[in-house]
Amino acid sequence: MIKKIIVVLSIFFSLTSSGQEQTSSPYSSYGLGEIKYKGTTDVKALGGLGIAGDSININLLNPASYSKIKLISFAVGGTTSFTDIQNNSESDKSKRTSLDYLLVSIPLKKLGVTFGLMPYSSVGYKTNSNLTELDGTERFKTKTGSGNVNKFFTGIAYSVNKNLSFGIDFGYHFGTTENDFTESLYSPIVLQYSTKERNTSKTNGYSINTGIQYSKKISSKLNLLTSFTFSPETKFKNTNDRVIATVTYSNNGSEASFDVSDVVTTKINMINPSKFSFGAGIGEAKKWLIGTDITFINNRKLINRFDMGSAVSFENSTRIAVGGYYVPKYDSFSNYLNRIVYRAGFRYENTGLVINNTSINDYGMNFGLGLPVGLSRINLGVEFGKKGTTSNNLIEENYFNLSVGLSLNDIWFKKRKID
């Protein structure tokens, strides 16, 4: 097990070092950034279906599932994203690799304890725009952003009986994001001077997530599964340092000087919105499952870390997931392919972001495999999706995500017999 822990930690640091910017979405400049917290690799392959819980894979979406874990489990996951970004006149491509989660789960009879670290939201984008005035002067504007808000959490669940479980987790959120707005003036003689506004935001706060899972046998083979979660609204403290400066550039494009003319520090409370979800499904244990999940998020109260203009607002949002899995024969000894878990799912999300009176929606189609390796699992997932639109001078993102998750499991506290 020590060797397994070393493997997990090495992957964690590798993914962290190679994935500083975990998104390339221009929409990440608004609100808390792009929300990255979407579950483990196996759950994402189901479209984000959070109704299931088993003895090996950790389900982050409902803390009641922690009591289902029967083995000591160390889990790590990461995603590489390939994105085509376009508007009505231009297009660009990006690639990002990021850490999704690092988790530990410990079973204690009827209790299950889980703790871990993951990125909660991320900022990462770069946009350029030109405007030529009547006198021939050209204004060139650049917007860039980077940084993450991370989440460390610990949770506990209790099995009342084999059908009913309750759970709760507590999260602490922390991180720094940076947004730069640069405006340069070009006349017939190119000017080297630019005005830059730099906003550095430090965020910290807490969150709570509660959950219930209930299953009932409705025939000799079929089970009905239901899931409820609720997260109350909390507040994140946000300290924003706004710096106005005059910048000069060297011939190679790097900043040669950064002369500060004004510094303003403001403190605001960012809303972490309340959420409620309900899910239900039907299936045969260790064989197949199909279900759906719907989540309502009170995003209407969201605000930006700094002023983004009247064209941006927020609305309450809805997330719908439909998915399932199939295992040909989980205990097959002669055919490895029969022991693989085959997963698929679809999700739709109204993100809650409204720009130019247009709601920003996100669609995704998911597929995945669960590969058994002894007591452990290798989970693979792919996702094809689209976010946004080119209508009303907006941006459309078409993306392909490749995810890998490792669930390294072992049995501790086992009495050994001496022959």
Side-chain angles (χ1 to χ4, degrees):
M1 176 54 75
I2 297 298
K3 291 182 179 179
K4 293 180 180 180
I5 297 174
I6 294 173
V7 170
V8 170
L9 292 176
S10 65
I11 294 173
F12 168 73
F13 288 115
S14 174
L15 289 171
T16 302
S17 62
S18 64
Q20 295 302 312
E21 289 187 12
Q22 302 191 24
T23 181
S24 56
S25 173
Y27 296 118
S28 67
S29 63
Y30 306 107
L32 292 170
E34 182 181 70
I35 302 300
K36 306 294 290 184
Y37 177 57
K38 296 180 180 179
T40 52
T41 302
D42 53 297
V43 170
K44 288 195 294 184
L46 300 174
L49 185 67
I51 65 173
D54 60 41
S55 62
I56 293 177
N57 296 302
I58 304 171
N59 178 5
L60 292 176
L61 298 185
N62 190 334
S65 67
Y66 303 158
S67 63
K68 302 294 184 181
I69 295 294
K70 302 304 179 185
L71 303 174
I72 298 289
S73 181
F74 295 85
V76 63
T79 297
T80 296
S81 300
F82 305 86
T83 309
D84 291 329
I85 304 172
Q86 60 182 353
N87 57 21
N88 288 325
S89 58
E90 297 178 301
S91 64
D92 198 5
K93 297 180 181 295
S94 71
K95 175 185 175 183
R96 294 288 187 274
T97 298
S98 62
L99 173 76
D100 290 337
Y101 54 86
L102 177 68
L103 309 171
V104 177
S105 189
I106 303 172
L108 300 170
K109 294 185 177 180
K110 287 192 172 185
L111 293 175
V113 177
T114 299
F115 57 92
L117 176 68
M118 69 198 72
Y120 176 77
S121 64
S122 184
V123 175
Y125 63 93
K126 182 177 182 179
T127 61
N128 300 315
S129 60
N130 291 336
L131 176 64
T132 302
E133 299 182 350
L134 296 177
D135 61 358
T137 300
E138 185 178 8
R139 295 180 180 271
F140 184 72
K141 297 182 179 181
T142 301
K143 298 180 181 180
T144 61
S146 62
N148 306 290
V149 175
N150 301 304
K151 177 183 178 180
F152 174 80
F153 80 97
T154 182
I156 188 169
Y158 175 73
S159 287
V160 178
N161 51 50
K162 64 179 182 179
N163 297 324
L164 180 63
S165 298
F166 296 90
I168 185 170
D169 66 38
F170 301 90
Y172 175 70
H173 302 249
F174 60 96
T176 301
T177 57
E178 189 172 276
N179 297 267
D180 287 353
F181 305 91
T182 305
E183 181 172 321
S184 304
L185 296 179
Y186 293 86
S187 60
I189 300 177
V190 177
L191 299 180
Q192 289 184 312
Y193 291 94
S194 300
T195 299
K196 174 172 284 190
E197 175 185 316
R198 172 167 292 167
N199 292 272
T200 302
S201 301
K202 295 181 179 180
T203 303
N204 65 83
Y206 70 93
S207 64
I208 301 172
N209 187 30
T210 61
I212 302 172
Q213 282 191 334
Y214 177 76
S215 63
K216 180 178 178 59
K217 207 167 188 64
I218 57 177
S219 74
S220 60
K221 290 186 176 182
L222 295 182
N223 296 301
L224 174 67
L225 293 85
T226 57
S227 170
F228 303 87
T229 66
F230 174 69
S231 300
E233 178 184 303
T234 58
K235 291 182 172 61
F236 294 167
K237 295 181 180 179
N238 188 86
T239 301
N240 186 59
D241 293 325
R242 174 173 291 183
V243 176
I244 307 297
T246 301
V247 183
T248 60
Y249 295 93
S250 61
N251 292 331
N252 64 7
S254 61
E255 290 185 3
S257 66
F258 189 86
D259 299 321
V260 177
S261 59
D262 189 24
V263 179
V264 177
T265 298
T266 58
K267 295 184 178 181
I268 60 173
N269 287 327
M270 300 287 291
I271 298 295
N272 179 41
S274 61
K275 294 189 297 183
F276 169 77
S277 74
F278 167 78
I282 190 171
E284 182 180 343
K286 300 180 181 181
K287 185 69 174 181
W288 62 271
L289 171 72
I290 186 169
T292 186
D293 234 330
I294 183 167
T295 303
F296 303 96
I297 309 173
N298 191 18
N299 278 326
R300 182 175 54 86
K301 295 184 178 181
L302 286 181
I303 60 175
N304 283 307
R305 299 178 298 277
F306 40 85
D307 184 22
M308 297 297 292
S310 58
V312 180
S313 61
F314 298 93
E315 64 183 0
N316 291 338
S317 61
T318 303
R319 182 188 306 140
I320 299 173
V322 179
Y325 67 78
Y326 174 71
V327 186
K329 189 177 181 182
Y330 80 96
D331 58 353
S332 174
F333 290 101
S334 59
N335 192 334
Y336 180 79
L337 295 179
N338 284 340
R339 291 189 283 127
I340 293 176
V341 184
Y342 300 87
R343 304 182 176 108
F346 171 80
R347 63 173 180 81
Y348 159 80
E349 181 177 359
N350 168 17
T351 65
L353 179 62
V354 181
I355 306 177
N356 297 337
N357 295 317
T358 303
S359 298
I360 306 302
N361 298 323
D362 191 356
Y363 306 84
M365 180 67 72
N366 302 80
F367 303 92
L369 299 174
L371 307 177
V373 184
L375 294 176
S376 300
R377 293 292 185 272
I378 300 174
N379 293 306
L380 306 176
V382 297
E383 180 179 35
F384 304 87
K386 185 183 81 168
K387 183 177 182 180
T389 175
T390 56
S391 302
N392 296 328
N393 297 316
L394 296 178
I395 293 172
E396 180 179 295
E397 303 171 10
N398 293 281
Y399 55 84
F400 169 73
N401 297 332
L402 176 61
S403 299
V404 179
L406 301 180
S407 180
L408 307 178
N409 307 299
D410 208 343
I411 301 174
W412 287 7
F413 316 118
K414 181 179 179 181
K415 292 184 178 180
R416 299 187 180 275
K417 295 182 179 180
I418 301 176
D419 296 331

